[in-house]
Amino acid sequence: MKTSMNLRRLLLAAVLVLSLLAVTGCWNRRELNELTIVFALGIDKAEDGYLVSVQLVNAQEIASKGGSGYATPITVYSSKGATVFEALRRMSTKLNRRMYLSHIRAVVIGEEVARQGVGDALDFLSRDHELRTDFFVLIARESRAEQILGALTPLEKIPANKMYSALQVMKENWAGETEITLDDLLSDMLSKGTNPVVTGIQLTGSTQRAMNKSNVGKTVTDTVLRYHGMAAFRDDRLAGWLTEEEAIGFNYVLRNLKSSIVNLRCPGGGGKVAMELTRIQSKIRASAQDGAPEITIRLETEANIGDVECPLKVMDIQTVPEIEQRLEEAIRGSIRAGVQASQKRLKTDIFGFGNAVHRDQPKIWKQVQTRWESVMPGVPVEVEVDAKLRRVGTVKEPVNHKKEAEE
């Protein structure tokens, strides 16, 4: 009898536990028709804090095949607040649905905010439990973040998707800009041996036309949203902008690029040959000389000939070493330009030389870490490049050269 009663109590307890699990499984559920999805967030400077903008999707316009014909695919709302959190909450006075932040693809920070410091603005983004940290962070160059978010783009109905996918495409094909997530940015900001670099985004043309649906109804748009330059930071403040060559040199070393293009002058002058870099691997090593740190950057790459606009005999065995040497010189020049900008012009350790000293020469790092900002500009940096030509294409001689030979 006692065994039967204990079994009955055990079964009752099991039923109660299963019931509690079923109840708690959806305690915080939110219906889709009660939410509005945020795809991009913008942070600008305001008089007493921040102007925060959100790019919301007009679901009805996106879902229908032809669209409603009168609505834009996105809507931008803005609110001011002493903090980013307050500005977002104050935005509820303008909306009839709760904002859902988990699908943010890009956060755009105004240049004025970046120059004064982004640490406080980023605190909410890293702290809020609803936000993922895999979105890209961008700096609005010569524009406000609010304007960037309001610009309509061709090919992509949702501009935030265009921002996100364009950065991924550039990483595979071009070395001028690159992607950086919130995790990357915070890691570089909090590290004592490196400083962050963030891609800039710019609105060219009329701001008012960019926000009009007619801007994307033309074969050539009046206003273009494009990536332009990379912002170098000192701690959490914008120190300045890298030129294209400096940014390319930086990305060669640190961003694990899949591919890029380098134009070389042809041997003997007259015309150019375009080289496609297909594999780029780099290392930064620190050594010591008389108790002082020294840096060596070592880069290895493979390349194909992609375009020849001069009388270059690509099948000549003597041509290969000369092309490889010119390619090495071009890559070395870009890297040196980036290092020069880091050490002399901007005076910020964007290459992570401090991390290399900390890793390879810990004793020296203990001596210089408290004054690394003053030591870093004078550290000698050696750049070594090894380039190998792998493919020359299916055409033995350039088209123009063949034509001239026949004549």
Side-chain angles (χ1 to χ4, degrees):
M1 183 73 177
K2 188 175 181 179
T3 303
S4 177
M5 184 169 291
N6 288 338
L7 182 60
R8 191 175 302 171
R9 288 177 179 175
L10 184 61
L11 289 174
L12 180 60
V15 171
L16 288 174
V17 170
L18 291 174
S19 300
L20 288 173
L21 289 175
V23 171
T24 58
C26 55
W27 68 273
N28 65 340
R29 82 181 193 278
R30 282 167 287 180
E31 299 295 338
L32 189 60
N33 59 0
E34 297 174 356
L35 303 174
T36 181
I37 298 176
V38 179
F39 270 75
L41 186 75
I43 304 174
D44 288 306
K45 191 66 181 172
E47 297 82 5
D48 300 320
Y50 300 99
L51 175 71
V52 177
S53 306
V54 291
Q55 185 182 103
L56 308 176
V57 176
N58 293 330
Q60 184 177 359
E61 184 70 14
I62 295 294
S64 57
K65 289 184 178 181
S68 61
Y70 60 85
T72 55
I74 55 104
T75 301
V76 175
Y77 284 93
S78 301
S79 286
K80 295 180 181 179
T83 63
V84 173
F85 194 21
E86 180 189 2
L88 278 171
R89 283 296 179 90
R90 184 166 290 174
M91 210 171 293
S92 62
T93 62
K94 304 178 182 180
L95 300 171
N96 64 337
R97 297 183 181 185
R98 181 177 176 180
M99 291 183 295
Y100 188 60
L101 304 177
S102 293
H103 286 290
I104 288 180
R105 310 304 298 272
V107 170
V108 183
I109 300 174
E111 188 169 349
E112 189 177 359
V113 175
R115 292 194 180 278
Q116 293 184 7
V118 300
D120 292 339
L122 295 178
D123 186 82
F124 166 76
L125 301 179
S126 61
R127 191 179 300 275
D128 189 87
H129 70 280
E130 190 177 86
L131 276 162
R132 299 185 304 185
T133 56
D134 59 349
F135 54 80
F136 294 150
V137 180
L138 306 166
I139 304 298
R141 186 172 187 177
E142 300 173 1
S143 306
R144 291 178 63 81
E146 180 185 19
Q147 297 169 339
I148 298 293
L149 262 60
L152 298 175
T153 56
L155 302 181
E156 282 282 357
K157 285 189 174 183
I158 303 175
N161 283 343
K162 187 263 183 184
M163 298 181 201
Y164 190 88
S165 58
L167 272 178
Q168 292 179 315
V169 170
M170 280 195 300
K171 182 178 180 179
E172 296 180 357
N173 297 280
W174 183 246
E177 287 85 17
T178 190
E179 60 192 40
I180 181 168
T181 65
L182 179 63
D183 284 337
D184 298 330
L185 179 57
L186 293 177
S187 176
D188 289 344
M189 282 175 51
L190 297 174
S191 172
K192 292 184 179 180
T194 189
N195 279 300
V197 174
V198 183
T199 295
I201 189 168
Q202 187 179 46
L203 193 62
T204 61
S206 170
T207 302
Q208 294 300 323
R209 290 182 180 178
M211 300 179 183
N212 195 304
K213 198 174 181 179
S214 62
N215 185 54
V216 294
K218 302 177 180 179
T219 55
V220 179
T221 58
D222 296 322
T223 308
V224 177
L225 197 62
R226 64 162 185 159
Y227 290 110
H228 182 50
M230 298 188 68
F233 280 73
R234 188 181 302 114
D235 297 326
D236 74 328
R237 296 173 182 263
L238 175 62
W241 292 91
L242 297 175
T243 65
E244 184 175 69
E245 184 180 14
E246 294 165 353
I248 288 174
F250 169 81
N251 287 329
Y252 280 156
V253 177
L254 292 181
R255 292 310 186 198
N256 298 318
L257 301 171
K258 293 184 178 180
S259 179
S260 189
I261 301 297
V262 178
N263 285 325
L264 306 176
R265 285 190 176 185
C266 287
K272 294 181 179 181
V273 53
M275 307 295 297
E276 178 192 15
L277 306 186
T278 57
R279 186 185 65 85
I280 306 171
Q281 294 183 342
S282 64
K283 293 181 180 179
I284 299 178
R285 291 284 182 261
S287 57
Q289 181 68 32
D290 297 328
E294 293 185 348
I295 297 295
T296 300
I297 298 175
R298 170 81 179 170
L299 184 141
E300 297 179 357
T301 184
E302 295 179 357
N304 302 328
I305 293 180
D307 184 11
V308 179
E309 298 181 4
C310 63
L312 178 68
K313 297 180 180 180
V314 296
M315 301 302 292
D316 191 336
I317 193 171
Q318 296 180 351
T319 300
V320 174
E322 189 169 0
I323 290 295
E324 290 177 343
Q325 181 180 356
R326 287 174 179 265
L327 180 58
E328 290 171 355
E329 291 174 356
I331 295 173
R332 192 181 299 113
S334 295
I335 295 175
R336 283 176 175 168
V339 171
Q340 183 79 3
S342 172
Q343 290 187 302
K344 306 302 181 183
R345 182 166 64 85
L346 301 173
K347 292 181 171 56
T348 176
D349 188 5
I350 57 176
F351 282 87
F353 294 150
N355 281 343
V357 175
H358 186 198
R359 181 188 64 240
D360 300 334
Q361 303 293 331
K363 292 183 179 179
I364 294 179
W365 177 248
K366 288 182 180 180
Q367 300 172 6
V368 302
Q369 62 176 331
T370 57
R371 51 190 178 90
W372 179 244
E373 288 187 0
S374 60
V375 171
M376 187 274 299
V379 174
V381 179
E382 181 69 23
V383 180
E384 300 175 356
V385 179
D386 182 19
K388 298 298 182 184
L389 180 61
R390 295 305 184 196
R391 297 180 180 85
V392 299
T394 57
V395 180
K396 294 183 179 181
E397 295 182 359
V399 175
N400 286 341
H401 179 61
K402 183 183 290 187
K403 183 178 179 181
E404 291 173 1
E406 291 176 352
E407 291 177 353

